[in-house]
Amino acid sequence: MSMFCRCLMLTSLRLAMVACLLVVGYGGAADAAERWTRLLGDIPVGSATKGGTSSLGRIYRVTTLDDSGPGSLREALGHQGPRVVVFDVGGVIRLQSDLGIYNPWVTVAGQTAPAPVTIVGGTLKIRTGDVILQHIAVRPGPSEDPAVNRTRDAISIGPCAGCKTPPRGVLLDNVSLSWAIDENIGLFGGPIYDITVRNSIVAEGLRHGGHPKGQHSAGMLINPGSIGVEVVGNLFASNVFRNPAVAPGTVVVVANNLIYNPHSLAIHINAGPASPFSTHMAMINNVVTPGPDTVQRVTTVHVSSRLPGRVPDAKIFIHGSVSESNRAVLKAPPELKLIQRATVVPANWDIIAADEVAQTVLATAGSWPGKRDVIDARIIDGARSRSGRLTDRPVEMAALESHKPSVRAAIVPQHPFSMSGIEGMLRIEAWLCLQHFAVGGPPNKSCNATAAVLEDALLKTVQAPADVDPAEAD
């Protein structure tokens, strides 16, 4: 059952407010915290998964950048059971076909690689639950097949006919997604539950990349049946539209995102197809920075004129968003009735003020924010200087073909799936947080201890599991 559904059922009880309450503030000031308590709701949305970090977990190593075969990422993802995928090699993985995650309970830890890991040539398809993807770049580029380009996302999240576990609990954390032909991220085929996209770069959907519709270039599409989606602290840069686009029949929080150089639409609440699901949306403290390709009419949030007639009971909260250069913040039909208190809040993010968003996002978004590859560095610099543009074929696309791999074995701690010196945290979790910090990842609700505390926790004496440490897979 999703986090949203569990809390929604609790709201029918007298203690619902206590059971689901999440107080979110910014700046540390008591008055700000009190104000957010009044404005924000009681139901946290987003992923609560631990991925593959379980006492029964196994370690699988990526030792080759080949598309498939022994030591490949594809092989590691194909295993079953709780697992953490670490990288002994960094560089470019060129796919020969789309790469799927079909078995649940997996953490893909790109922060463990000796250099940034970039996936090109296909879509990463998440078709199951309890998936964590961290510190990876996916830049698919165009296919020669127009039929493939119609749905070529960087990452797509949705169900599949033969999958036993539907998408429920997915965390995309510090990922870099660009050069898709359809969307950089697509959520579809609901119901899917509890999805978080945090501290990521969603940029440069290709404008004329071969999509059958012609000009496209889309950031993120959240389709009906996406329940409990959290989009927080991300940079959306130089996408024509869908930054993101949200359909009715969804439960979504979009907060503290920086949207640079949208051409025609930034955040777009569309009228969508008919859906049996309720609509709860909160758009909070997002910032639009116009660029060279932004048309004058772009607002931070655009609500379809058809939405009130199609979904009259939609619960939509819009607060604190900013559009620079004196542009309008909201375009909405006059009959739309916004709610004055959000029904949903982010589960994995503390709201910050709008004037802090640009600095925070530009410092922390992307796959390796402390050691950016040349592509992310260019995108960040373009957003900061307001020189980044829409693109049809980025200059680095050809250079990826000749990218040389980096090799260095990831030093996983002994007995990784035993408890650390921090209550409730496994040794593998403490180590992954250290690697997260090492590549510039910011503190978050999973990695909220300092590096010194984490290092000390790994030095604590632990009880080894059973007679043999099974953590390293054969």
Side-chain angles (χ1 to χ4, degrees):
M1 182 179 295
S2 75
M3 182 186 300
F4 175 78
C5 291
R6 289 195 299 269
C7 287
L8 191 60
M9 289 192 297
L10 282 171
T11 55
S12 64
L13 304 176
R14 295 186 77 176
L15 297 180
M17 297 291 286
V18 176
C20 292
L21 182 62
L22 180 63
V23 177
V24 182
Y26 62 84
D31 58 341
E34 181 181 354
R35 176 161 46 121
W36 280 116
T37 303
R38 293 196 304 268
L39 289 173
L40 297 184
D42 309 312
I43 302 173
V45 300
S47 176
T49 186
K50 287 183 170 288
T53 57
S54 157
S55 61
L56 301 176
R58 305 289 294 270
I59 300 291
Y60 290 95
R61 293 179 178 271
V62 176
T63 59
T64 178
L65 298 176
D66 291 345
D67 167 83
S68 60
S72 66
L73 177 58
R74 192 182 297 271
E75 181 191 57
L77 294 177
H79 289 291
Q80 297 187 358
R83 59 209 185 279
V84 174
V85 179
V86 302
F87 290 81
D88 294 344
V89 61
V92 178
I93 300 173
R94 174 159 287 282
L95 300 180
Q96 303 303 312
S97 60
D98 290 342
L99 180 61
I101 302 178
Y102 299 102
N103 299 322
W105 309 305
V106 60
T107 296
V108 181
Q111 67 266 41
T112 62
V117 174
T118 301
I119 298 170
V120 302
T123 299
L124 178 58
K125 297 181 175 181
I126 299 174
R127 300 292 183 262
T128 188
D130 290 296
V131 174
I132 295 176
L133 186 71
Q134 296 175 307
H135 299 285
I136 295 283
V138 185
R139 312 188 195 277
S143 169
E144 296 180 359
D145 185 347
V148 172
N149 285 333
R150 179 179 292 276
T151 58
R152 175 158 278 189
D153 298 343
I155 290 180
S156 72
I157 303 174
C160 70
C163 298
K164 296 179 181 179
T165 305
R168 184 188 299 271
V170 175
L171 170 61
L172 306 183
D173 193 22
N174 280 109
V175 298
S176 294
L177 308 175
S178 61
W179 307 352
I181 311 305
D182 198 11
E183 280 84 38
N184 281 315
I185 310 178
L187 277 58
F188 74 97
I192 59 176
Y193 298 98
D194 302 339
I195 313 293
T196 293
V197 182
R198 179 178 65 189
N199 291 133
S200 295
I201 294 176
V202 184
E204 294 186 348
L206 298 185
R207 180 176 48 179
H208 294 109
H211 196 281
K213 293 180 180 179
Q215 177 174 290
H216 208 59
S217 179
M220 179 178 186
L221 178 60
I222 304 171
N223 275 306
S226 301
I227 310 300
V229 179
E230 178 186 34
V231 183
V232 289
N234 305 292
L235 171 63
F236 289 82
S238 296
N239 304 298
V240 168
F241 64 145
R242 299 178 183 169
N243 291 290
V246 186
T250 59
V251 179
V252 178
V253 173
V254 178
N256 290 150
N257 298 283
L258 176 62
I259 305 163
Y260 166 71
N261 194 40
H263 172 61
S264 54
L265 288 167
I267 299 170
H268 179 207
I269 302 174
N270 61 47
S275 172
F277 301 100
S278 298
T279 300
H280 295 258
M281 300 179 188
M283 312 294 173
I284 306 167
N285 290 9
N286 299 285
V287 175
V288 168
T289 300
D293 304 300
T294 304
V295 299
Q296 184 60 41
R297 70 174 184 273
V298 167
T299 58
T300 306
V301 183
H302 179 106
V303 182
S304 169
S305 60
R306 295 179 294 152
L307 182 74
R310 182 167 289 183
V311 193
D313 59 347
K315 303 292 190 296
I316 300 175
F317 176 79
I318 300 174
H319 181 83
S321 293
V322 172
S323 184
E324 298 181 4
S325 302
N326 298 316
R327 296 174 186 238
V329 171
L330 174 64
K331 181 179 180 180
E335 63 271 26
L336 178 69
K337 296 189 182 341
L338 298 175
I339 59 176
Q340 300 305 304
R341 186 171 188 268
T343 55
V344 290
V345 296
N348 300 287
W349 184 263
D350 291 334
I351 298 293
I352 61 176
D355 60 9
E356 300 174 41
V357 168
Q359 180 177 358
T360 299
V361 169
L362 293 175
T364 60
S367 64
W368 279 39
K371 305 176 183 180
R372 298 191 189 280
D373 66 13
V374 295
I375 300 164
D376 279 358
R378 176 181 57 76
I379 292 169
I380 291 289
D381 289 346
R384 185 174 282 120
S385 65
R386 304 194 183 190
S387 61
R389 302 294 302 266
L390 299 174
T391 186
D392 299 330
R393 184 175 178 84
V395 295
E396 303 95 345
M397 191 173 286
L400 287 177
E401 300 288 344
S402 58
H403 194 281
K404 294 182 179 179
S406 298
V407 179
R408 184 199 66 214
I411 304 174
V412 179
Q414 287 187 321
H415 313 309
F417 296 100
S418 297
M419 294 305 299
S420 73
I422 298 175
E423 184 177 358
M425 178 177 276
L426 299 178
R427 288 168 59 78
I428 188 66
E429 294 176 293
W431 181 72
L432 289 176
C433 284
L434 283 171
Q435 306 312 305
H436 167 78
F437 292 149
V439 300
N444 56 49
K445 292 192 175 183
S446 298
C447 298
N448 56 9
T450 66
V453 170
L454 292 167
E455 289 168 354
D456 183 65
L458 287 174
L459 292 173
K460 300 290 186 184
T461 301
V462 296
Q463 180 67 41
D467 304 87
V468 180
D469 187 353
E472 288 281 357
D474 296 333

